[in-house]
Amino acid sequence: MATKRIQFGKILLDNQLITEQELEAAIKRQQSTGERLGQVLIDMGLVKEEQLLQLLSQQLNIPFVDLRNYSFDPNVVGALSEFSARRYRAIVLNHDEQGYLVAMVDPLDLLAIDEIERELKEPVRTALVKEVDFLSVVDMLYRRTGEISTLAEELSAELKPNDYDVTQLGAGFTSSDAPVVKLLQNIFEDAVQINASDIHIEPDENVLRIRQRIDGVLHEHVMKEKQIAQALTLRLKLMGGLNIAEKRLPQDGRFSIKVRNRNFDVRLSTMPVQYGESVVMRLLDQSAEILKLDQIGMPKNMLSRLRRVFSYPNGIILVTGPTGSGKTTTLYGVLSELNKTENKIITVEDPVEYRLPRINQIQIQPKIDLTFARILRSVLRQDPDIIMIGELRDQESVSIALRAAMTGHLVLSTLHTNDAMSSAVRLIDMGAAGYLVATVLRAILSQRLVRRICDNCKEDYTPTPHELAWLASIKNFSYTGNPFKHGIGCTYCHNTGYKGRVGVFELLEMTPPLIDSLRDNDTRLFSQLVTDDPDYKPLVTQGLELAVKGVTTISEVIRIIGESIESNKD
């Protein structure tokens, strides 16, 4: 190691990138921290990473490879085990008659090269890559799909269709070596590795589909071992505390797991379908911090308006949108700012997704008749200042929420509607009197989540004729001809062109004219006043602003917010 440091330092000195004093200081720091000398020099600001890598590439006469745009062959990558890849910071790029081409973060590590050659059993040529690129792609390359398929085959071989009792099968799988347990472990690890929010297990006539929702879009893995579906469902039911004998009715449960040193709550839902039972699991990362309001992507001027609204001592604030639009994340962000010693906060949720200190969180349990309505009737006797209701579901919950807001409480809740404009009308449709809604409703925040363009493969994009026609139909938007952006697909984004999501919001604050129209039950006038309000920007406008800035694509705005177009035409 000492020899390697001296040789590496000599290369830098010969090229006059650092001085002898700087090298000595870096070596001294490297000895105390244990980091690689190159990383120490970069951290100290003595050299730039690009300079260092290009120099090493020239001096060692090996290629420098940009992993961000490299097209990997899964079979070639899999020649090196995941353990070795992570230990030696190496990925196999190619295989030919000369042996393997292996990308390494540290191609000077001769011991690592010897170990890699011993495992691959063929000569190894090295290439140089950025460490940050390696760390970004290794999780994507070493997915669990291969192990999942192998374990599915093993489990299928054990399950003889005419020779097992399903109940006994589930009860007997207590060993960690059981294929069904290993298969589930790999399914969960793969989902966590790619940041999936949901796992769907769906039996079909001849195959079993395992689908994972990544950034709001499902990705599919099909397995021919359809007969393992029953064993998977049974094991998950046992984990979730469900009735394993009941296959005719939907069931809901939950359990906790630890994956890759992260704690997850899993919400489990089963549903009888044509070829068995469909299972959907929502993964809630308890190790992640609650997002603050200034981290969810809301424009600053809208955020300041929202903060002003929830500083009111009483009234109702609604967050609306379809399932999976980030409503709960926004509400938890609001609660984290309101969570002060002087505020008594009570939440009524189904389920409690994240635990918050100082806040009294109540989980509804319909099996014992602990419903939203029953809890809300008792919550007011707990002397709360702020009440968060997971969802306004029916006339009774709406009525109690209105009464709580009228008696001096601030009420936060969600509603499943398409936009802010229709939410107030929806409350009236659910049986609330117009004058009561007008009295207590303070603001409505509607939101969606759109996928971000992958920064690594982003490039200019000219809209299609169909997209141009759609843009022309949007009120107060004119296309200037400047190129939009899209992602062409790369390793970082699983070749989708998207990586991550960002919120799109519209905020409707109640003004005296809007209040008067609701009091008179004049929904047509209410809608017209909302449209004419200069402070109101509909979802589609906010989405297009993100597209113009190159954050998302036009097609993504159409996919997520396209249904709002009718209310925004001239």
Side-chain angles (χ1 to χ4, degrees):
M1 290 297 294
T3 302
K4 186 177 78 172
R5 283 198 299 270
I6 294 171
Q7 291 175 343
F8 184 44
K10 186 174 185 305
I11 293 173
L12 296 172
L13 288 173
D14 290 345
N15 285 270
Q16 299 181 349
L17 289 180
I18 58 173
T19 64
E20 291 188 7
Q21 292 79 8
E22 290 172 335
L23 176 60
E24 290 176 4
I27 291 176
K28 185 176 181 180
R29 178 170 170 177
Q30 193 270 346
Q31 289 171 340
S32 62
T33 63
E35 292 182 312
R36 292 181 297 106
L37 182 60
Q39 190 60 49
V40 171
L41 290 166
I42 294 170
D43 292 342
M44 293 176 67
L46 298 177
V47 294
K48 293 182 179 179
E49 185 175 16
E50 289 75 12
Q51 283 181 312
L52 196 61
L53 294 176
Q54 292 294 344
L55 178 62
L56 276 176
S57 175
Q58 294 170 10
Q59 293 292 326
L60 300 175
N61 195 27
I62 61 175
F64 171 71
V65 177
D66 186 352
L67 292 181
R68 295 173 300 175
N69 299 309
Y70 193 84
S71 180
F72 293 93
D73 182 343
N75 295 323
V76 173
V77 171
L80 186 66
S81 68
E82 180 180 2
F83 173 81
S84 297
R86 293 183 184 276
R87 181 179 181 181
Y88 303 123
R89 302 290 179 93
I91 295 174
V92 179
L93 299 179
N94 192 22
H95 181 231
D96 53 30
E97 63 277 1
Q98 299 178 32
Y100 286 95
L101 175 63
V102 178
M104 298 185 67
V105 173
D106 185 5
L108 291 173
D109 191 342
L110 300 180
L111 293 177
I113 295 173
D114 288 343
E115 291 298 324
I116 292 172
E117 284 188 333
R118 187 173 293 112
E119 180 174 338
L120 296 178
K121 297 182 174 61
E122 288 191 36
V124 165
R125 309 185 312 279
T126 58
L128 182 65
V129 293
K130 281 186 181 181
E131 183 172 21
V132 65
D133 291 346
F134 170 84
L135 295 174
S136 296
V137 303
V138 68
D139 282 343
M140 301 175 193
L141 294 174
Y142 284 94
R143 295 277 307 275
R144 295 294 189 272
T145 51
E147 293 177 52
I148 289 171
S149 296
T150 301
L151 288 167
E153 291 175 6
E154 292 179 12
L155 180 57
S156 177
E158 289 193 6
L159 300 180
K160 298 179 181 179
N162 300 318
D163 192 27
Y164 69 86
D165 179 348
V166 173
T167 303
Q168 293 302 316
L169 173 70
F173 283 160
T174 56
S175 169
S176 60
D177 294 330
V180 68
V181 176
K182 282 189 174 182
L183 178 56
L184 284 173
Q185 288 173 344
N186 279 277
I187 289 173
F188 282 120
E189 286 189 9
D190 187 53
V192 170
Q193 200 161 297
I194 59 176
N195 294 319
S197 60
D198 301 83
I199 302 171
H200 296 232
I201 300 176
E202 303 170 341
D204 208 333
E205 183 175 9
N206 299 312
V207 297
L208 174 66
R209 288 185 170 85
I210 296 181
R211 302 203 279 177
Q212 299 160 319
R213 192 174 295 279
I214 306 170
D215 292 336
V217 177
L218 286 172
H219 298 256
E220 185 173 81
H221 180 207
V222 179
M223 296 185 293
K224 63 181 182 297
E225 296 81 12
K226 185 246 179 181
Q227 62 268 36
I228 71 174
Q230 202 170 9
L232 287 176
T233 302
L234 180 61
R235 169 55 59 174
L236 290 169
K237 281 185 171 182
L238 290 170
M239 293 169 67
L242 305 183
N243 182 356
I244 61 174
E246 180 57 76
K247 304 175 187 177
R248 302 164 300 170
L249 298 173
Q251 297 187 69
D252 295 318
R254 66 185 305 160
F255 56 88
S256 298
I257 58 172
K258 188 172 185 178
V259 183
R260 300 171 71 90
N261 294 321
R262 292 159 62 186
N263 296 315
F264 290 85
D265 272 355
V266 181
R267 287 163 48 184
L268 175 68
S269 172
T270 67
M271 177 74 68
V273 293
Q274 187 175 8
Y275 298 105
E277 288 182 274
S278 169
V279 178
V280 176
M281 292 176 284
R282 168 66 58 87
L283 305 181
L284 302 171
D285 189 354
Q286 300 301 314
S287 306
E289 293 185 358
I290 301 296
L291 284 180
K292 306 299 183 185
L293 281 179
D294 52 8
Q295 296 175 317
I296 63 177
M298 186 178 295
K300 289 184 178 180
N301 60 336
M302 186 182 295
L303 181 57
S304 63
R305 291 167 56 204
L306 179 63
R307 283 183 167 135
R308 184 180 69 248
V309 168
F310 67 66
S311 66
Y312 294 158
N314 54 60
I316 290 182
I317 301 172
L318 294 177
V319 180
T320 73
T323 302
S325 59
K327 302 186 297 296
T328 303
T329 299
T330 299
L331 277 180
Y332 274 109
V334 172
L335 288 178
S336 66
E337 294 200 8
L338 294 173
N339 189 10
K340 301 174 182 176
T341 54
E342 61 267 26
N343 288 332
K344 167 93 172 193
I345 303 176
I346 298 179
T347 73
V348 186
E349 305 174 63
D350 181 25
V352 175
E353 295 195 6
Y354 297 99
R355 278 70 174 175
L356 298 173
R358 199 189 292 119
I359 294 179
N360 298 271
Q361 297 174 270
I362 305 171
Q363 164 78 53
I364 76 162
Q365 300 185 51
K367 290 181 180 179
I368 59 173
D369 198 31
L370 191 64
T371 61
F372 273 112
R374 185 167 185 176
I375 295 171
L376 288 173
R377 285 195 294 269
S378 302
V379 156
L380 298 182
R381 294 195 287 273
Q382 289 284 310
D383 188 31
D385 298 295
I386 300 164
I387 303 171
M388 193 272 271
I389 305 171
E391 181 185 350
L392 296 181
R393 296 187 172 184
D394 50 35
Q395 183 176 357
E396 188 174 12
S397 61
V398 170
S399 175
I400 297 172
L402 290 172
R403 188 165 73 248
M406 290 182 66
T407 53
H409 303 88
L410 180 64
V411 178
L412 310 174
S413 189
T414 70
L415 200 61
H416 285 260
T417 53
N418 284 333
D419 54 32
M421 188 189 307
S422 61
S423 300
V425 178
R426 173 66 177 148
L427 291 178
I428 296 174
D429 290 341
M430 293 174 71
Y435 69 91
L436 285 179
V437 177
T439 301
V440 300
L441 187 60
R442 298 288 179 258
I444 304 168
L445 178 72
S446 184
Q447 66 180 76
R448 298 288 191 280
L449 292 176
V450 296
R451 291 181 292 173
R452 288 180 178 271
I453 301 172
C454 174
D455 288 331
N456 182 60
C457 60
K458 182 186 295 186
E459 64 177 24
D460 289 348
Y461 172 75
T462 302
T464 65
H466 170 73
E467 291 169 340
L468 288 173
W470 186 83
L471 290 172
S473 67
I474 304 300
K475 184 179 180 180
N476 298 327
F477 181 83
S478 58
Y479 177 50
T480 60
N482 292 331
F484 288 86
K485 301 287 184 181
H486 78 153
I488 60 175
C490 66
T491 306
Y492 277 25
C493 60
H494 304 285
N495 292 312
T496 62
Y498 298 97
K499 188 171 178 62
R501 290 189 290 178
V502 62
V504 179
F505 306 89
E506 64 177 18
L507 179 62
L508 174 62
E509 294 183 74
M510 299 303 294
T511 61
L514 291 174
I515 293 172
D516 291 340
S517 63
L518 284 181
R519 187 176 288 117
D520 296 335
N521 279 335
D522 191 342
T523 56
R524 183 181 294 274
L525 176 60
F526 176 81
S527 299
Q528 185 61 47
L529 290 171
V530 170
T531 304
D532 295 338
D533 187 343
D535 291 331
Y536 171 74
K537 283 187 175 181
L539 283 168
V540 67
T541 302
Q542 296 283 350
L544 283 174
E545 287 182 359
L546 291 178
V548 169
K549 294 176 182 177
V551 176
T552 191
T553 62
I554 300 175
S555 61
E556 185 70 0
V557 176
I558 294 174
R559 184 180 74 88
I560 296 297
I561 317 171
E563 71 273 9
S564 301
I565 186 173
E566 294 300 325
S567 62
N568 295 287
K569 288 184 178 180
D570 289 313

